[in-house]
Amino acid sequence: MPTDLPPSPVLSRRRLLGAAGAAAASLVLSACTSVPREMAYVAPAEPKRPEPPLEVVGYEAMYASVVDEGYEIPAIPLKKVDEKFLRRLVDDPTGERPGTVVVDTSAHYLYLVQENGKALRYGVGLGRAGFDWAGRAVIQWKRKWPRWTPPDAMIGRQPELERYSVANGGMDPGLKNPLGARALYIFQDGEDTLYRVHGSPEWWTIGKSVSSGCVRMMNQDVIDLYNRVPGKTPILVTSGISVS
């Protein structure tokens, strides 16, 4: 029996329709996935430049005079500051996760924990309020050149501060403002702890305990910290971290 029979008209029609359907489906699919020629190439993102080591930057540059948001912050007289309270990269003594801020009130240090067992360490000064609270919380929000409103208890002791009360709008930002160039506001369980990490024009109080304020940093340091930590950064305020 011959095997080279002509194709069945019905079968040929089915094949033709099937081929047409496949072609149509292919067009629909290609329309969903096609990319315009000018968008087909996506340039790779530029690699982030590594930050120079602190020892390369040098303290003179770190603590030089700087103009920030229109305010000229004076240089820090480095010879008058104990070197151990200058910003430096150290072995992390806290054991906390990278990205965590840790304030050790006993040693007057603030740590920003880094990767690979390291931490950025800053010297801080502590006011009476700086010893009034301890625990775990988050940096709920941050402000550049914040207004300062002294608490009622402070106004009670120093009535001349009444003009800076909440009712009077607080003290304008500036070089004489006790909160300095930046303030980080600490909340716990959604509530304001009234605990602040903030700048201070009084660089000579770093490493010391003074009568007022929370956690003071030199303005150059608080700007550096502000730029490194996002909102909701975890913070631990504690005492007695052993530093190697």
Side-chain angles (χ1 to χ4, degrees):
M1 180 179 293
T3 58
D4 53 344
L5 295 177
S8 164
V10 174
L11 184 58
S12 297
R13 179 177 175 81
R14 286 176 179 171
R15 286 178 177 172
L16 181 62
L17 290 174
S26 176
L27 286 173
V28 172
L29 184 62
S30 65
C32 290
T33 60
S34 63
V35 180
R37 184 178 298 274
E38 63 272 16
M39 295 179 62
Y41 173 75
V42 178
E46 291 187 8
K48 186 177 179 181
R49 293 182 178 180
E51 187 172 324
L54 297 186
E55 60 271 18
V56 172
V57 175
Y59 287 136
E60 293 289 344
M62 277 187 219
Y63 295 104
S65 174
V66 61
V67 176
D68 177 79
E69 304 287 325
Y71 299 97
E72 185 173 358
I73 300 171
I76 302 296
L78 295 176
K79 292 182 180 179
K80 297 182 179 181
V81 179
D82 190 328
E83 188 175 285
K84 71 180 181 181
F85 293 119
L86 299 178
R87 187 191 327 161
R88 65 180 59 192
L89 187 67
V90 299
D91 292 333
D92 172 42
T94 72
E96 296 292 322
R97 294 173 59 182
T100 303
V101 172
V102 180
V103 178
D104 180 3
T105 57
S106 67
H108 292 79
Y109 287 139
L110 181 149
Y111 298 90
L112 175 58
V113 182
Q114 307 284 287
E115 301 283 353
N116 302 317
K118 295 293 184 179
L120 274 175
R121 190 183 75 191
Y122 307 81
V124 300
L126 294 166
R128 182 183 298 109
F131 292 100
D132 284 346
W133 184 87
R136 291 185 181 272
V138 297
I139 297 171
Q140 186 75 9
W141 41 284
K142 313 180 296 180
R143 286 289 182 272
K144 295 181 178 181
W145 295 100
R147 302 184 73 84
W148 177 63
T149 52
D152 292 340
M154 180 180 289
I155 294 174
R157 295 190 302 269
Q158 299 173 262
E160 68 275 14
L161 298 179
E162 172 65 32
R163 59 179 173 159
Y164 303 129
S165 67
V166 174
N168 290 325
M171 179 186 282
D172 290 338
L175 296 177
K176 295 183 179 180
N177 187 303
L179 292 181
R182 302 288 189 274
L184 284 61
Y185 298 79
I186 312 305
F187 280 56
Q188 186 180 54
D189 299 326
E191 298 291 332
D192 189 354
T193 65
L194 302 181
Y195 202 85
R196 312 284 187 251
V197 175
H198 60 87
S200 174
E202 299 176 342
W203 52 264
W204 56 89
T205 64
I206 301 304
K208 298 180 174 65
S209 299
V210 292
S211 61
S212 62
C214 287
V215 179
R216 302 168 169 226
M217 303 179 72
M218 287 181 279
N219 278 321
Q220 285 87 339
D221 279 345
V222 80
I223 290 172
D224 182 79
L225 179 67
Y226 179 101
N227 291 337
R228 293 177 185 274
V229 297
K232 304 301 178 66
T233 290
I235 181 170
L236 168 64
V237 180
T238 186
S239 176
I241 295 174
S242 59
V243 182
S244 58

